Amino acid sequence: MNPTVRNILAVIAGLVAGGLANTLLITVGPHVFPPPAGMDVNNVESIRAHAHELQPAHFVFPFLAHAMNAFVGGLVAYVVAASRRAVFAWAMGGLSLCGGIAAAVMIPAPAWFVALDLIVAYLPMAWLAIKLGEKLTAKPAAA
């Protein structure tokens, strides 16, 4: 396959895989840690109205969703890319970070969560994806 086409597919596959991981965890989260009574987790205004009722446990799955978005997206992009694999994994982490910044602006959350999320959930996860990707794509030594 043409390397350019494969690299474009790496970006698309990374975005889709990361987005699916994020969606899965965001969907499961309210079943594990139910939101406060009357809060609609799919409505930003409802979240704003009930933000003061959220406990630290309510932030576990959003953090995991953001971290897995960057990790899974970065890993898939790394494995699929034909060249400059780490660049594509870092790009997934960077794009995820942009989404995290947008979420931090739009959705109310305590400062400790925003800081933890933006510092730990994106670029460090892209780095971990690169490290795992290196191991997964390493050519075995000839005997």
Side-chain angles (χ1 to χ4, degrees):
M1 177 182 295
N2 180 317
T4 302
V5 171
R6 187 164 169 181
N7 288 341
I8 291 168
L9 289 175
V11 171
I12 294 168
L15 290 171
V16 170
L20 287 172
N22 184 309
T23 300
L24 174 69
L25 288 163
I26 289 294
T27 302
V28 169
H31 298 287
V32 177
F33 299 112
M39 181 176 158
D40 177 3
V41 296
N42 297 311
N43 182 307
V44 174
E45 291 306 318
S46 179
I47 295 171
R48 282 190 182 120
H50 294 277
H52 64 282
E53 300 172 48
L54 295 173
Q55 300 298 314
H58 291 111
F59 296 97
V60 169
F61 275 86
F63 174 81
L64 291 174
H66 299 165
M68 287 301 101
N69 184 354
F71 180 77
V72 171
L75 181 60
V76 168
Y78 186 96
V79 169
V80 173
S83 61
R84 298 184 320 267
R85 292 175 161 182
V87 170
F88 291 100
W90 283 118
M92 293 300 104
L95 289 170
S96 296
L97 176 60
C98 290
I101 292 168
V105 170
M106 293 184 294
I107 303 169
W112 66 264
F113 173 75
V114 173
L116 176 70
D117 193 51
L118 296 179
I119 294 168
V120 179
Y122 302 104
L123 298 181
M125 293 299 120
W127 178 80
L128 286 175
I130 291 166
K131 293 303 165 192
L132 180 57
E134 288 170 350
K135 291 184 185 314
L136 293 175
T137 60
K139 304 268 190 256

